[in-house]
Each structure stands twice: as structure tokens, then as C-alpha cells.
Amino acid sequence: MVEPFKLERFFARYEFQVKYLLSASDCEGLPLSELLELAPPQTLSLWKDLKLGYTESQGHPLLREEIARLYRSTSTEQIVVAVPEEAIFIAMQTLLRPGDHVISIFPAYQSLYELAHSIGCEVTYWNLRQDSQGWYLDLEGLQAALRPNTRLLVINFPHNPTGFLPTLDELQAVLDFAARHDLMVFSDEMYRLLEYSEADRLPPVCDLYEKGISLSGFSKSFALAGLRLGWLATRAPGLLGAWLAYKDYTTICSSAPSEILGLMALQAQETILARSRRIVLENLSLAAAFFTHYSPLFLWLPPRAGSVAFPRWNGSISLEQLCKDLLDLRSLMLLPGSIFDFPGPHFRIGLGRQDFPQALQALEMHLDGLPHP
Ligand SMILES: Cc1ncc(COP(=O)(O)O)c(C=O)c1O
């Protein structure tokens, strides 16, 4: 039995009902026409002549070739294309056995630890810490979480929901810890390439660590969530075959049109990523001004990368009540931290959407109407 995915159930209820989504994690969906305009002639021919049959289970060879360029020491043969959520599912099913112990970063996208629970693993949450300066890693907490049967460490940087990004030294310390204890590392890198400063970009974990698995995809930084396409990359021996055998029971192969569109996206990555970063950075500066203006009603914890942040509400009404009022009175969705089972009145905001200024304005109107403490 797997527990309901709280965040996905919350989105299923409100995402297509409300006027303003202030907590979406993806970047504003790129129109198909814009993607096609960016495509080089050869890829456009692949699109026009595409036969809508089954595709290669591991992923289109040209797509994998282009994906492999994102990595330094991981090749086309070490990549499996899958829907990102499916990729997490397949990886967990093939890596874990009942009784294994898993350490997972926390808070986190629920499937990163819930699937381990459903398999019968014990999970220790490795909490990100927070002070008035922002979020930080607790390396001592990681050491304390270790058990003799720990098999897997799950990390996610840039992090959802906080936007936290460690330094390379910190990431290296985490991977050294994994190597010392012979742990597999599942690294969710869905928000990679959305760093605000290129100097902050971390190398993919599959390049840094032989027992590392990197998850990436088109849904967030590439603004193409509707492709439902991503991939797993690893140099660890034996995993590829197990993933492919498992994929025969999930989707068998990926969507043919999505694979070609994904290929186009990688070929036009500079333009597409610059668009996503522009949207996020513009919204980030509006968010910073908003939180300064409304201080001390909020504690703003600026993200370092990605399209989400996890500030704290300091108002006198409860965060749950605020979120409910915003839904009922302003048709505005704000994601409370309780959806992540995170204690304290944090909430997620999404910085990737083009209507962020209007959504923020709706929030401002609501706050201005609240009685002053
Ligand atoms: C950290 C993280 N990993 C994986 C996913 C799953 O991506 P997708 O919805 O494209 O399957 C998400 C989506 O929100 C996410 O935030």
C-alpha cells in the first residue's frame, strides 16, 4: 500500500479550478509553436515524418545522445528515458528491498521517501535546517541517521520546496560520506540548470559518484511539464537492465512525439533555459520586494536556485486559515507546509509562472484587508 501523495492530491483539487497559482513548481509552459520555431531543420523533419508507433524502450538514441552531453562521464548507454515520476518509481522498486534503511532529505517531494515506505523500508528523514539567514545542511544529522542496514541516501538539489543549493564542498562531503558507507545515492536534479548564478551550478551526482543516480527531466527548468519526459543516468553497473525490465510494467516506452520535442528542447537549451531563468529572476525580485514590504508578517528565506521557495508566515491567524481564505475569497492557491508534513507555518511559493505579479497582487489585496495585529 502506498500513502496518498498529499501534494499531488492538493494540486488535483485546485490546480485547474483557481485563478492564481502562487505555488506551482514548474516554469511557464513553453508553447509548442515556439519550440518548433527553435528546432533545426533535421529535427523538424523528424517531427514532420514521425510515425506514431512504439519507440525504443531505453529512449530514442538521438535523444539519449543529446542527454549524455549534459554529463561528463555518463554515456548514452547509461541513460534510461522515462516520465520523471515514473523514474523515481522504477529506481526505488529496483534499488530497495523490505528491511532496507533509507535516509531521505526532508522536507521533500513525497515520492522520494514514500515509495521506500511502501516497499517496507525504514526511512530516516534528514532535515534541512533553517535560521534567519536561510536553509542549510546538517552534516552531523546525516552521520546520526546512519544505520548498519542503510542502503540508499536520497537528495534533491536544487531543493523543492526551499530552493536550497549546497556548495560543491558540501555536496562532496555528502558524497564522501556515502562512499565511506557504501551507500547508493539517488539525486533528484529536476531543478538543475535553474541556478541564479552559473558559478553555483553543481556537477550532476552521476558524474561525481559511481554509485550515484541522477534524475532529471523537462518539467521544471525546460518549462515542458506536458511532455511528461525525463531520464535516469548512472554509471553503477547492473541498474540499467533492472530499470528496463521494470519499465516493461509501467510505460514500456516513452511517447514518440514527446521524445522528438525533448530532443528539440535540448538542442535549443540555451534559449529555453535563459527564458526560464529570466521569468524566475524577475519574479524573485518582486518576491523580495513583497517580503520586505510585508515584514515582519513573513520570514523571507531566499532560494539559491530553482523555481520554488519556502518562506514562513508570522501572522496572527493560522497558515491553514490564511490558505483557506485565499482559496475561498481570492481564488488563489498557496501550498501550506503541512502538505510536506513539515512542522511550522512555512508555505511554498512558485517563481516560474508568468502571472506571478498578478497572483502576488491578489495576495497583497488580501493581506491589506486583514486586521493589523
Ligand atoms: C523534486 C521533484 N522531483 C520529481 C518531480 C516529478 O516530476 P514530474 O511531475 O514531471 O513527473 C517533481 C515535480 O514536482 C519534483 O518537484
Side-chain angles (χ1 to χ4, degrees):
M1 260 294 286
V2 65
E3 290 295 316
F5 199 135
K6 287 187 183 167
L7 178 144
E8 297 299 349
R9 287 298 92 213
F10 192 83
F11 268 80
R13 191 159 161 207
Y14 299 115
E15 182 171 6
F16 299 103
Q17 307 300 327
V18 299
K19 198 162 164 196
Y20 303 113
L21 272 186
L22 198 52
S23 293
S25 60
D26 55 348
C27 290
E28 183 76 29
L30 189 70
L32 175 64
S33 54
E34 281 184 35
L35 182 58
L36 292 174
E37 265 171 37
L38 293 170
Q42 280 154 326
T43 317
L44 212 49
S45 306
L46 289 178
W47 174 248
K48 286 189 182 137
D49 301 336
L50 183 66
K51 283 195 190 166
L52 295 172
Y54 285 106
T55 63
E56 285 189 38
S57 183
Q58 192 172 349
H60 195 301
L62 289 177
L63 175 63
R64 280 187 290 120
E65 223 171 84
E66 207 60 56
I67 291 171
R69 285 187 218 278
L70 298 172
Y71 303 105
R72 209 186 49 234
S73 43
T74 308
S75 73
T76 45
E77 287 315 310
Q78 294 165 320
I79 288 159
V80 171
V81 175
V83 179
E85 180 70 302
E86 175 195 19
I88 300 174
F89 189 81
I90 290 178
M92 296 301 163
Q93 299 299 331
T94 49
L95 283 169
L96 298 173
R97 297 281 167 275
D100 284 342
H101 177 243
V102 175
I103 302 173
S104 170
I105 191 83
F106 195 82
Y109 189 66
Q110 193 173 337
S111 50
L112 294 176
Y113 56 83
E114 197 66 58
L115 291 166
H117 274 302
S118 78
I119 292 166
C121 301
E122 295 169 299
V123 180
T124 301
Y125 300 115
W126 178 32
N127 291 294
L128 270 184
R129 303 273 173 218
Q130 172 248 307
D131 60 19
S132 59
Q133 304 299 306
W135 300 91
Y136 62 93
L137 281 185
D138 172 14
L139 290 170
E140 283 169 19
L142 178 60
Q143 181 68 47
L146 188 72
R147 295 195 196 163
N149 61 336
T150 306
R151 167 148 175 79
L152 177 69
L153 170 63
V154 181
I155 55 178
N156 163 224
F157 307 129
H159 180 246
N160 173 14
T162 63
F164 169 75
L165 184 70
T167 62
L168 180 55
D169 283 350
E170 286 171 325
L171 178 64
Q172 200 55 63
V174 171
L175 297 178
D176 290 346
F177 166 86
R180 270 198 310 280
H181 302 288
D182 198 29
L183 308 183
M184 299 293 305
V185 174
F186 184 88
S187 172
D188 181 324
E189 296 163 11
M190 290 294 290
Y191 297 85
R192 190 167 175 269
L193 307 175
L194 260 188
E195 297 76 13
Y196 310 147
S197 157
E198 229 168 277
D200 288 344
R201 184 167 306 151
L202 297 170
V205 164
C206 63
D207 278 345
L208 291 178
Y209 183 52
E210 276 193 11
K211 290 191 147 194
I213 298 161
S214 290
L215 165 73
S216 192
F218 294 105
S219 306
K220 311 297 177 185
S221 324
F222 285 90
L224 293 165
L227 294 191
R228 309 307 302 122
L229 207 64
W231 61 88
L232 291 168
T234 190
R235 291 181 289 142
L239 286 182
L240 264 288
W243 290 343
L244 288 173
Y246 212 93
K247 195 179 167 186
D248 290 341
Y249 289 97
T250 53
T251 55
I252 303 173
C253 64
S254 300
S255 143
S258 287
E259 287 201 318
I260 303 304
L261 297 172
L263 177 62
M264 284 177 194
L266 286 169
Q267 289 168 336
Q269 59 187 275
E270 265 183 43
T271 310
I272 295 175
L273 294 171
R275 168 189 178 273
S276 297
R277 279 197 290 267
R278 178 182 50 72
I279 296 173
V280 168
L281 286 174
E282 280 173 13
N283 290 340
L284 191 59
S285 81
L286 290 179
F290 167 89
F291 286 114
T292 305
H293 179 76
Y294 285 96
S295 163
L297 209 46
F298 299 95
L299 175 64
W300 174 225
L301 299 161
R304 287 191 58 210
S307 44
V308 289
F310 206 45
R312 201 178 70 203
W313 165 248
N314 290 333
S316 50
I317 62 164
S318 71
L319 177 64
E320 301 298 320
Q321 187 63 48
L322 175 71
C323 292
K324 186 177 179 316
D325 289 348
L326 288 170
L327 279 168
D328 293 345
L329 306 173
R330 307 279 167 185
S331 193
L332 184 148
M333 196 195 94
L334 208 58
L335 192 68
S338 56
I339 294 288
F340 289 91
D341 284 327
F342 192 77
H346 289 265
F347 58 97
R348 187 176 82 178
I349 58 164
L351 300 159
R353 295 295 182 93
Q354 236 141 20
D355 70 349
F356 184 84
Q358 290 78 17
L360 206 58
Q361 226 167 29
L363 177 57
E364 282 172 5
M365 278 172 65
H366 187 76
L367 295 172
D368 292 344
L370 288 181
H372 287 287

